[in-house]
Amino acid sequence: MDHFDLHDGALHAEQVPLDAIADAVGTPVYVYSAATIRRHVRVFREALAGLEHDGQAPLVAFAVKANPNAAVLSVLAGLGCGADVVSGGELMRARAAGIPGEKIVFSGVGKTADEMALALREGIGQFNLESEEEARTLSKVAADLGLTARVAFRVNPDVDAGTHAKISTGRSENKFGIAYDLAPDAYARAAALPGLVVQGVAVHIGSQLTDLGPLETAFGRIGALIATLRAAGHDIRTADLGGGLGVPYDPTKPAPPAPSAYGEMVRRATAGWNVRLMFEPGRLIVGNAGVLLTSVIRVKPGAQAPFVIVDAAMNDLMRPALYDAWHDIRAVRPSGERFVANVVGPVCETGDTFAMQRSMDRVDEGERVVFMTAGAYAATMASTYNSRALTPEVLVSGDRWAVVRKRQKIEALIAADSVPAWALNEPTED
Ligand code: LLP
């Protein structure tokens, strides 16, 4: 559920008309709803009721990669959320937003020694290690600093998550985690390394999951591994079950399982584990809390359907180009009339297509449309391809709104480059 609704014929973010934001800030612009973010955190926490350990609720560590905007992270910090980070940059963003180090989990296959040192100095709660090679590097970094790293191994359970291949992570051929069968030996060797305290297990099999079955299978394997590890003498206190629960993108399709069904499955799968559970939801928290607001530059006739050319492009929202992702497209002031159209951006690639032959609100030049469900993996995946400045972001709460990231200036983009004098007067090569 989100807070983007029609009032008096015009689409609003909570109580703010999207037209007011577009008039003030221009388009394209990302608009986030704080009430929607807060609601999703509450719903997810309610779904995890009964999973307390030693009187502590599970840690909800927001996957910063989904939306790293400082204002968004600050809202989540205010709600007591932790953070799942995958780079030094994300770690610094989470800390800057006020998320305490002990609520931060560091995931990712390629943590560098510098990033490890930064995370150790920030006193993060857990490193999710993805290889024994990484464990050895972390051991050395921690020992050199005289600090201790609390670690889990991310275990690859070899489960097909049934999602898009590019966002599936839990098959043995994927680059993520250590192989399930090799895990007991990896734990034994890691436990013997200086500077490391082995405290948990971690798993994450993919994103936008629409079926709980693969997750339950993966969690079952993790439960068995916890028993094996304990039998071998390891003090396993945490289990990080990752993120991955899907959100509805297409209102005409069956909705993915609700958080409550996910919580029920987790209660079933983890009964008797006796660990502190941790979760890393990203999309579930912010996906439906954002829209990309854009204007129609012009409508051009096409062979099968007209092309609605909008001022947002694949560089602003690359999910359709990258994953053939479906985003609902709605007019800001729908007339009630519908038509079938192709919605494209101005970038010079055929891949710059948001929708083909889409039945949608009829819109014409100068009108505004939104791409729904653009709060996760949207602004953060943008590029400046075609020398298009990065899109600004706005956060709404009730009847208040603020620009939470300024529109990038083309001048700033140009100024970031530098031209060595010799490039100007080099002789030609023919
Ligand atoms: N934990 C780990 C270790 C992850 O790799 C991810 C996402 C998450 C948590 C959060 O997953 P979520 O709850 O958001 O599904 N750019 C793609 C999605 C990539 C997801 C990468 N990892 C997209 O736009 O669909």
Side-chain angles (χ1 to χ4, degrees):
M1 221 209 77
D2 61 52
H3 289 76
F4 297 96
D5 297 303
L6 285 174
H7 301 295
D8 300 327
L11 203 55
H12 284 56
E14 303 188 29
Q15 290 155 42
V16 179
L18 290 178
D19 277 331
I21 295 174
D23 288 347
V25 181
T27 56
V29 54
Y30 279 98
V31 182
Y32 306 130
S33 153
T36 310
I37 295 173
R38 286 193 292 265
R39 180 175 194 282
H40 290 167
V41 171
R42 178 169 51 77
V43 167
F44 191 61
R45 283 189 170 143
E46 282 169 6
L48 303 178
L51 288 168
E52 295 75 16
H53 175 65
D54 280 347
Q56 254 189 324
L59 176 69
V60 177
F62 173 67
V64 172
K65 63 172 81 68
N67 190 325
N69 182 279
V72 169
L73 294 184
S74 298
V75 168
L76 292 165
L79 297 172
C81 290
D84 165 53
V85 303
V86 293
S87 68
E90 286 191 354
L91 174 64
M92 287 164 72
R93 278 183 177 273
R95 291 291 296 118
I99 296 176
E102 74 260 19
K103 289 188 181 177
I104 297 178
V105 179
F106 198 167
S107 305
V109 292
K111 303 174 199 80
T112 65
D114 283 348
E115 288 175 320
M116 291 172 179
L118 173 69
L120 282 162
R121 287 198 202 93
E122 294 294 340
I124 68 154
Q126 183 166 295
F127 289 84
N128 287 346
L129 302 176
E130 305 224 9
S131 63
E132 285 197 63
E133 290 74 10
E134 188 190 344
R136 289 197 287 273
T137 304
L138 180 60
S139 163
K140 187 171 178 321
V141 174
D144 286 351
L145 288 172
L147 296 169
T148 304
R150 288 171 280 187
V151 305
F153 273 110
R154 174 171 176 182
V155 177
N156 185 322
D158 195 17
V159 169
D160 184 353
T163 185
H164 192 284
K166 284 189 184 155
I167 52 175
S168 182
T169 57
R171 294 301 303 272
S172 58
E173 64 266 31
N174 299 140
K175 70 178 173 179
F176 296 101
I178 56 167
Y180 186 81
D181 294 341
L182 306 180
D185 285 349
Y187 272 86
R189 282 190 284 266
L193 291 174
L196 303 189
V197 170
V198 169
Q199 70 171 14
V201 289
V203 66
H204 172 80
I205 62 169
S207 195
Q208 187 54 18
L209 308 185
T210 52
D211 178 4
L212 295 177
L215 281 170
E216 188 159 10
T217 305
F219 296 168
R221 291 188 188 161
I222 295 302
L225 178 63
I226 291 173
T228 307
L229 294 174
R230 282 190 173 138
H234 298 286
D235 184 13
I236 301 299
R237 298 151 178 252
T238 66
D240 180 342
L241 300 184
L245 190 54
V247 303
Y249 279 91
D250 182 347
T252 66
K253 294 257 169 69
S260 55
Y262 173 83
E264 213 163 287
M265 178 277 284
V266 171
R267 272 188 291 277
R268 198 164 55 232
T270 66
W273 282 16
N274 193 25
V275 290
R276 172 135 201 245
L277 292 177
M278 311 188 332
F279 296 88
E280 304 170 350
R283 193 187 316 261
L284 189 74
I285 304 297
V286 291
N288 279 306
V291 299
L292 174 57
L293 173 57
T294 178
S295 303
V296 178
I297 299 175
R298 68 182 56 87
V299 180
K300 166 182 164 169
Q304 278 99 29
F307 287 100
V308 173
I309 305 167
V310 296
D311 64 2
M314 65 188 286
N315 70 295
D316 303 301
L317 175 65
M318 69 184 296
R319 302 193 67 260
L322 199 53
Y323 316 113
D324 297 317
W326 201 101
H327 285 263
D328 202 18
I329 302 174
R330 295 167 62 181
V332 169
R333 290 184 168 276
S335 64
E337 259 185 86
R338 312 267 302 168
F339 73 161
V340 172
N342 306 320
V343 181
V344 300
V347 160
C348 296
E349 288 205 27
T350 302
D352 185 22
T353 297
F354 292 110
M356 289 298 281
Q357 309 268 21
R358 177 75 64 90
S359 165
M360 59 180 279
D361 294 328
R362 176 182 288 280
V363 283
D364 213 336
E365 186 170 323
E367 290 184 57
R368 290 169 179 147
V369 298
V370 292
F371 295 100
M372 302 297 291
T373 319
Y377 306 111
T380 186
M381 289 175 68
S383 76
T384 57
Y385 186 42
N386 276 209
S387 289
R388 293 168 51 85
L390 292 176
T391 301
E393 293 166 278
V394 160
L395 182 68
V396 173
S397 182
D399 60 2
R400 293 168 303 176
W401 66 273
V403 174
V404 293
R405 188 179 70 190
K406 284 194 233 122
R407 187 181 302 283
Q408 188 180 37
K409 287 205 160 34
I410 289 294
E411 291 77 8
L413 202 60
I414 296 170
D417 294 354
S418 50
V419 184
W422 46 258
L424 299 172
N425 48 26
E426 207 93 312
T428 56
E429 273 188 28
D430 41 33

PDB file of all heavy atoms in Angstrom, residues 58-89:
ATOM      1  N   PRO A  58      13.866  -8.844  16.252  1.00  0.00           N
ATOM      2  CA  PRO A  58      14.849  -9.043  15.178  1.00  0.00           C
ATOM      3  C   PRO A  58      15.379  -7.703  14.683  1.00  0.00           C
ATOM      4  O   PRO A  58      14.689  -6.691  14.770  1.00  0.00           O
ATOM      5  CB  PRO A  58      14.038  -9.735  14.078  1.00  0.00           C
ATOM      6  CG  PRO A  58      12.853 -10.324  14.745  1.00  0.00           C
ATOM      7  CD  PRO A  58      12.559  -9.442  15.923  1.00  0.00           C
ATOM      8  N   LEU A  59      16.590  -7.707  14.157  1.00  0.00           N
ATOM      9  CA  LEU A  59      17.156  -6.486  13.586  1.00  0.00           C
ATOM     10  C   LEU A  59      16.626  -6.328  12.159  1.00  0.00           C
ATOM     11  O   LEU A  59      16.744  -7.251  11.344  1.00  0.00           O
ATOM     12  CB  LEU A  59      18.690  -6.558  13.550  1.00  0.00           C
ATOM     13  CG  LEU A  59      19.372  -5.363  12.890  1.00  0.00           C
ATOM     14  CD1 LEU A  59      19.225  -4.099  13.749  1.00  0.00           C
ATOM     15  CD2 LEU A  59      20.843  -5.643  12.619  1.00  0.00           C
ATOM     16  N   VAL A  60      16.035  -5.178  11.891  1.00  0.00           N
ATOM     17  CA  VAL A  60      15.631  -4.864  10.521  1.00  0.00           C
ATOM     18  C   VAL A  60      16.702  -3.929   9.962  1.00  0.00           C
ATOM     19  O   VAL A  60      16.745  -2.748  10.288  1.00  0.00           O
ATOM     20  CB  VAL A  60      14.232  -4.221  10.475  1.00  0.00           C
ATOM     21  CG1 VAL A  60      13.867  -3.847   9.044  1.00  0.00           C
ATOM     22  CG2 VAL A  60      13.183  -5.178  11.053  1.00  0.00           C
ATOM     23  N   ALA A  61      17.588  -4.500   9.151  1.00  0.00           N
ATOM     24  CA  ALA A  61      18.710  -3.742   8.585  1.00  0.00           C
ATOM     25  C   ALA A  61      18.351  -3.411   7.136  1.00  0.00           C
ATOM     26  O   ALA A  61      18.453  -4.262   6.247  1.00  0.00           O
ATOM     27  CB  ALA A  61      19.997  -4.559   8.670  1.00  0.00           C
ATOM     28  N   PHE A  62      17.919  -2.177   6.932  1.00  0.00           N
ATOM     29  CA  PHE A  62      17.494  -1.740   5.599  1.00  0.00           C
ATOM     30  C   PHE A  62      18.651  -1.877   4.597  1.00  0.00           C
ATOM     31  O   PHE A  62      19.774  -1.437   4.869  1.00  0.00           O
ATOM     32  CB  PHE A  62      17.035  -0.279   5.672  1.00  0.00           C
ATOM     33  CG  PHE A  62      16.739   0.330   4.335  1.00  0.00           C
ATOM     34  CD1 PHE A  62      15.667  -0.116   3.573  1.00  0.00           C
ATOM     35  CD2 PHE A  62      17.529   1.360   3.825  1.00  0.00           C
ATOM     36  CE1 PHE A  62      15.394   0.436   2.328  1.00  0.00           C
ATOM     37  CE2 PHE A  62      17.266   1.921   2.588  1.00  0.00           C
ATOM     38  CZ  PHE A  62      16.189   1.458   1.838  1.00  0.00           C
ATOM     39  N   ALA A  63      18.371  -2.487   3.452  1.00  0.00           N
ATOM     40  CA  ALA A  63      19.396  -2.636   2.408  1.00  0.00           C
ATOM     41  C   ALA A  63      19.592  -1.276   1.737  1.00  0.00           C
ATOM     42  O   ALA A  63      18.796  -0.862   0.883  1.00  0.00           O
ATOM     43  CB  ALA A  63      18.971  -3.692   1.386  1.00  0.00           C
ATOM     44  N   VAL A  64      20.648  -0.589   2.124  1.00  0.00           N
ATOM     45  CA  VAL A  64      20.873   0.803   1.697  1.00  0.00           C
ATOM     46  C   VAL A  64      20.926   0.925   0.179  1.00  0.00           C
ATOM     47  O   VAL A  64      20.547   1.940  -0.391  1.00  0.00           O
ATOM     48  CB  VAL A  64      22.163   1.352   2.358  1.00  0.00           C
ATOM     49  CG1 VAL A  64      22.545   2.709   1.819  1.00  0.00           C
ATOM     50  CG2 VAL A  64      21.976   1.411   3.872  1.00  0.00           C
ATOM     51  N   LYS A  65      21.364  -0.136  -0.496  1.00  0.00           N
ATOM     52  CA  LYS A  65      21.476  -0.064  -1.955  1.00  0.00           C
ATOM     53  C   LYS A  65      20.142   0.273  -2.609  1.00  0.00           C
ATOM     54  O   LYS A  65      20.107   0.843  -3.685  1.00  0.00           O
ATOM     55  CB  LYS A  65      22.034  -1.378  -2.524  1.00  0.00           C
ATOM     56  CG  LYS A  65      21.143  -2.577  -2.284  1.00  0.00           C
ATOM     57  CD  LYS A  65      21.645  -3.803  -3.039  1.00  0.00           C
ATOM     58  CE  LYS A  65      22.767  -4.519  -2.338  1.00  0.00           C
ATOM     59  NZ  LYS A  65      22.381  -5.186  -1.068  1.00  0.00           N
ATOM     60  N   ALA A  66      19.039  -0.069  -1.955  1.00  0.00           N
ATOM     61  CA  ALA A  66      17.732   0.176  -2.576  1.00  0.00           C
ATOM     62  C   ALA A  66      17.427   1.667  -2.671  1.00  0.00           C
ATOM     63  O   ALA A  66      16.816   2.123  -3.646  1.00  0.00           O
ATOM     64  CB  ALA A  66      16.618  -0.531  -1.795  1.00  0.00           C
ATOM     65  N   ASN A  67      17.818   2.424  -1.640  1.00  0.00           N
ATOM     66  CA  ASN A  67      17.617   3.874  -1.679  1.00  0.00           C
ATOM     67  C   ASN A  67      18.505   4.536  -0.627  1.00  0.00           C
ATOM     68  O   ASN A  67      18.171   4.561   0.548  1.00  0.00           O
ATOM     69  CB  ASN A  67      16.154   4.249  -1.439  1.00  0.00           C
ATOM     70  CG  ASN A  67      15.895   5.724  -1.716  1.00  0.00           C
ATOM     71  OD1 ASN A  67      16.744   6.568  -1.459  1.00  0.00           O
ATOM     72  ND2 ASN A  67      14.725   6.028  -2.250  1.00  0.00           N
ATOM     73  N   PRO A  68      19.642   5.051  -1.062  1.00  0.00           N
ATOM     74  CA  PRO A  68      20.606   5.598  -0.104  1.00  0.00           C
ATOM     75  C   PRO A  68      20.421   7.084   0.188  1.00  0.00           C
ATOM     76  O   PRO A  68      21.292   7.689   0.807  1.00  0.00           O
ATOM     77  CB  PRO A  68      21.941   5.361  -0.825  1.00  0.00           C
ATOM     78  CG  PRO A  68      21.591   5.497  -2.274  1.00  0.00           C
ATOM     79  CD  PRO A  68      20.174   5.010  -2.441  1.00  0.00           C
ATOM     80  N   ASN A  69      19.310   7.686  -0.233  1.00  0.00           N
ATOM     81  CA  ASN A  69      19.143   9.121   0.017  1.00  0.00           C
ATOM     82  C   ASN A  69      19.214   9.421   1.518  1.00  0.00           C
ATOM     83  O   ASN A  69      18.606   8.716   2.328  1.00  0.00           O
ATOM     84  CB  ASN A  69      17.811   9.612  -0.563  1.00  0.00           C
ATOM     85  CG  ASN A  69      17.648  11.102  -0.359  1.00  0.00           C
ATOM     86  OD1 ASN A  69      17.260  11.542   0.710  1.00  0.00           O
ATOM     87  ND2 ASN A  69      17.988  11.872  -1.368  1.00  0.00           N
ATOM     88  N   ALA A  70      19.935  10.468   1.874  1.00  0.00           N
ATOM     89  CA  ALA A  70      20.175  10.791   3.286  1.00  0.00           C
ATOM     90  C   ALA A  70      18.868  11.005   4.054  1.00  0.00           C
ATOM     91  O   ALA A  70      18.749  10.604   5.219  1.00  0.00           O
ATOM     92  CB  ALA A  70      21.056  12.032   3.393  1.00  0.00           C
ATOM     93  N   ALA A  71      17.891  11.625   3.408  1.00  0.00           N
ATOM     94  CA  ALA A  71      16.627  11.887   4.113  1.00  0.00           C
ATOM     95  C   ALA A  71      15.865  10.578   4.339  1.00  0.00           C
ATOM     96  O   ALA A  71      15.264  10.359   5.397  1.00  0.00           O
ATOM     97  CB  ALA A  71      15.774  12.874   3.318  1.00  0.00           C
ATOM     98  N   VAL A  72      15.894   9.713   3.354  1.00  0.00           N
ATOM     99  CA  VAL A  72      15.227   8.404   3.487  1.00  0.00           C
ATOM    100  C   VAL A  72      15.900   7.608   4.610  1.00  0.00           C
ATOM    101  O   VAL A  72      15.227   7.050   5.486  1.00  0.00           O
ATOM    102  CB  VAL A  72      15.277   7.638   2.143  1.00  0.00           C
ATOM    103  CG1 VAL A  72      14.840   6.185   2.314  1.00  0.00           C
ATOM    104  CG2 VAL A  72      14.424   8.342   1.099  1.00  0.00           C
ATOM    105  N   LEU A  73      17.233   7.594   4.606  1.00  0.00           N
ATOM    106  CA  LEU A  73      17.943   6.857   5.659  1.00  0.00           C
ATOM    107  C   LEU A  73      17.679   7.473   7.026  1.00  0.00           C
ATOM    108  O   LEU A  73      17.584   6.756   8.026  1.00  0.00           O
ATOM    109  CB  LEU A  73      19.454   6.838   5.377  1.00  0.00           C
ATOM    110  CG  LEU A  73      19.915   6.072   4.138  1.00  0.00           C
ATOM    111  CD1 LEU A  73      21.440   6.075   4.067  1.00  0.00           C
ATOM    112  CD2 LEU A  73      19.400   4.633   4.135  1.00  0.00           C
ATOM    113  N   SER A  74      17.511   8.785   7.072  1.00  0.00           N
ATOM    114  CA  SER A  74      17.247   9.431   8.357  1.00  0.00           C
ATOM    115  C   SER A  74      15.875   9.041   8.900  1.00  0.00           C
ATOM    116  O   SER A  74      15.714   8.844  10.107  1.00  0.00           O
ATOM    117  CB  SER A  74      17.351  10.949   8.231  1.00  0.00           C
ATOM    118  OG  SER A  74      18.668  11.283   7.849  1.00  0.00           O
ATOM    119  N   VAL A  75      14.886   8.949   8.008  1.00  0.00           N
ATOM    120  CA  VAL A  75      13.558   8.492   8.443  1.00  0.00           C
ATOM    121  C   VAL A  75      13.687   7.090   9.040  1.00  0.00           C
ATOM    122  O   VAL A  75      13.170   6.789  10.119  1.00  0.00           O
ATOM    123  CB  VAL A  75      12.564   8.478   7.252  1.00  0.00           C
ATOM    124  CG1 VAL A  75      11.270   7.747   7.607  1.00  0.00           C
ATOM    125  CG2 VAL A  75      12.268   9.906   6.782  1.00  0.00           C
ATOM    126  N   LEU A  76      14.449   6.235   8.367  1.00  0.00           N
ATOM    127  CA  LEU A  76      14.601   4.849   8.833  1.00  0.00           C
ATOM    128  C   LEU A  76      15.402   4.793  10.126  1.00  0.00           C
ATOM    129  O   LEU A  76      15.087   4.019  11.033  1.00  0.00           O
ATOM    130  CB  LEU A  76      15.254   4.005   7.735  1.00  0.00           C
ATOM    131  CG  LEU A  76      14.347   3.815   6.511  1.00  0.00           C
ATOM    132  CD1 LEU A  76      15.139   3.308   5.316  1.00  0.00           C
ATOM    133  CD2 LEU A  76      13.208   2.861   6.833  1.00  0.00           C
ATOM    134  N   ALA A  77      16.426   5.649  10.234  1.00  0.00           N
ATOM    135  CA  ALA A  77      17.213   5.703  11.481  1.00  0.00           C
ATOM    136  C   ALA A  77      16.294   6.104  12.634  1.00  0.00           C
ATOM    137  O   ALA A  77      16.363   5.536  13.727  1.00  0.00           O
ATOM    138  CB  ALA A  77      18.364   6.690  11.341  1.00  0.00           C
ATOM    139  N   GLY A  78      15.405   7.062  12.362  1.00  0.00           N
ATOM    140  CA  GLY A  78      14.475   7.516  13.393  1.00  0.00           C
ATOM    141  C   GLY A  78      13.536   6.422  13.849  1.00  0.00           C
ATOM    142  O   GLY A  78      13.021   6.452  14.977  1.00  0.00           O
ATOM    143  N   LEU A  79      13.294   5.470  12.977  1.00  0.00           N
ATOM    144  CA  LEU A  79      12.416   4.343  13.326  1.00  0.00           C
ATOM    145  C   LEU A  79      13.197   3.224  14.005  1.00  0.00           C
ATOM    146  O   LEU A  79      12.644   2.167  14.320  1.00  0.00           O
ATOM    147  CB  LEU A  79      11.738   3.795  12.057  1.00  0.00           C
ATOM    148  CG  LEU A  79      10.800   4.765  11.328  1.00  0.00           C
ATOM    149  CD1 LEU A  79      10.354   4.179   9.985  1.00  0.00           C
ATOM    150  CD2 LEU A  79       9.580   5.075  12.187  1.00  0.00           C
ATOM    151  N   GLY A  80      14.491   3.426  14.170  1.00  0.00           N
ATOM    152  CA  GLY A  80      15.300   2.413  14.856  1.00  0.00           C
ATOM    153  C   GLY A  80      15.818   1.315  13.943  1.00  0.00           C
ATOM    154  O   GLY A  80      16.290   0.281  14.427  1.00  0.00           O
ATOM    155  N   CYS A  81      15.748   1.533  12.640  1.00  0.00           N
ATOM    156  CA  CYS A  81      16.235   0.493  11.716  1.00  0.00           C
ATOM    157  C   CYS A  81      17.756   0.482  11.696  1.00  0.00           C
ATOM    158  O   CYS A  81      18.405   1.505  11.919  1.00  0.00           O
ATOM    159  CB  CYS A  81      15.750   0.760  10.293  1.00  0.00           C
ATOM    160  SG  CYS A  81      13.995   0.513  10.089  1.00  0.00           S
ATOM    161  N   GLY A  82      18.308  -0.675  11.377  1.00  0.00           N
ATOM    162  CA  GLY A  82      19.724  -0.794  11.092  1.00  0.00           C
ATOM    163  C   GLY A  82      19.935  -0.683   9.601  1.00  0.00           C
ATOM    164  O   GLY A  82      19.030  -0.269   8.853  1.00  0.00           O
ATOM    165  N   ALA A  83      21.137  -1.056   9.147  1.00  0.00           N
ATOM    166  CA  ALA A  83      21.453  -0.947   7.724  1.00  0.00           C
ATOM    167  C   ALA A  83      22.272  -2.143   7.267  1.00  0.00           C
ATOM    168  O   ALA A  83      23.157  -2.612   7.976  1.00  0.00           O
ATOM    169  CB  ALA A  83      22.234   0.334   7.456  1.00  0.00           C
ATOM    170  N   ASP A  84      21.949  -2.616   6.067  1.00  0.00           N
ATOM    171  CA  ASP A  84      22.776  -3.601   5.374  1.00  0.00           C
ATOM    172  C   ASP A  84      23.530  -2.815   4.314  1.00  0.00           C
ATOM    173  O   ASP A  84      22.904  -2.188   3.458  1.00  0.00           O
ATOM    174  CB  ASP A  84      21.872  -4.670   4.740  1.00  0.00           C
ATOM    175  CG  ASP A  84      22.602  -5.507   3.710  1.00  0.00           C
ATOM    176  OD1 ASP A  84      23.668  -6.045   4.050  1.00  0.00           O
ATOM    177  OD2 ASP A  84      22.115  -5.612   2.571  1.00  0.00           O
ATOM    178  N   VAL A  85      24.852  -2.809   4.411  1.00  0.00           N
ATOM    179  CA  VAL A  85      25.648  -2.012   3.471  1.00  0.00           C
ATOM    180  C   VAL A  85      26.562  -2.931   2.661  1.00  0.00           C
ATOM    181  O   VAL A  85      26.904  -4.032   3.107  1.00  0.00           O
ATOM    182  CB  VAL A  85      26.488  -0.942   4.212  1.00  0.00           C
ATOM    183  CG1 VAL A  85      25.596  -0.026   5.040  1.00  0.00           C
ATOM    184  CG2 VAL A  85      27.564  -1.577   5.094  1.00  0.00           C
ATOM    185  N   VAL A  86      26.946  -2.464   1.484  1.00  0.00           N
ATOM    186  CA  VAL A  86      27.809  -3.279   0.624  1.00  0.00           C
ATOM    187  C   VAL A  86      29.023  -2.508   0.122  1.00  0.00           C
ATOM    188  O   VAL A  86      29.691  -2.948  -0.810  1.00  0.00           O
ATOM    189  CB  VAL A  86      27.031  -3.848  -0.591  1.00  0.00           C
ATOM    190  CG1 VAL A  86      25.999  -4.856  -0.130  1.00  0.00           C
ATOM    191  CG2 VAL A  86      26.367  -2.738  -1.379  1.00  0.00           C
ATOM    192  N   SER A  87      29.285  -1.353   0.734  1.00  0.00           N
ATOM    193  CA  SER A  87      30.471  -0.581   0.337  1.00  0.00           C
ATOM    194  C   SER A  87      30.803   0.386   1.464  1.00  0.00           C
ATOM    195  O   SER A  87      29.942   0.672   2.320  1.00  0.00           O
ATOM    196  CB  SER A  87      30.204   0.212  -0.947  1.00  0.00           C
ATOM    197  OG  SER A  87      29.261   1.241  -0.705  1.00  0.00           O
ATOM    198  N   GLY A  88      32.024   0.905   1.419  1.00  0.00           N
ATOM    199  CA  GLY A  88      32.397   1.929   2.378  1.00  0.00           C
ATOM    200  C   GLY A  88      31.486   3.146   2.254  1.00  0.00           C
ATOM    201  O   GLY A  88      31.118   3.769   3.250  1.00  0.00           O
ATOM    202  N   GLY A  89      31.104   3.455   1.024  1.00  0.00           N
ATOM    203  CA  GLY A  89      30.226   4.607   0.796  1.00  0.00           C
ATOM    204  C   GLY A  89      28.878   4.421   1.483  1.00  0.00           C
ATOM    205  O   GLY A  89      28.369   5.329   2.147  1.00  0.00           O
TER     206      GLY A  89
END
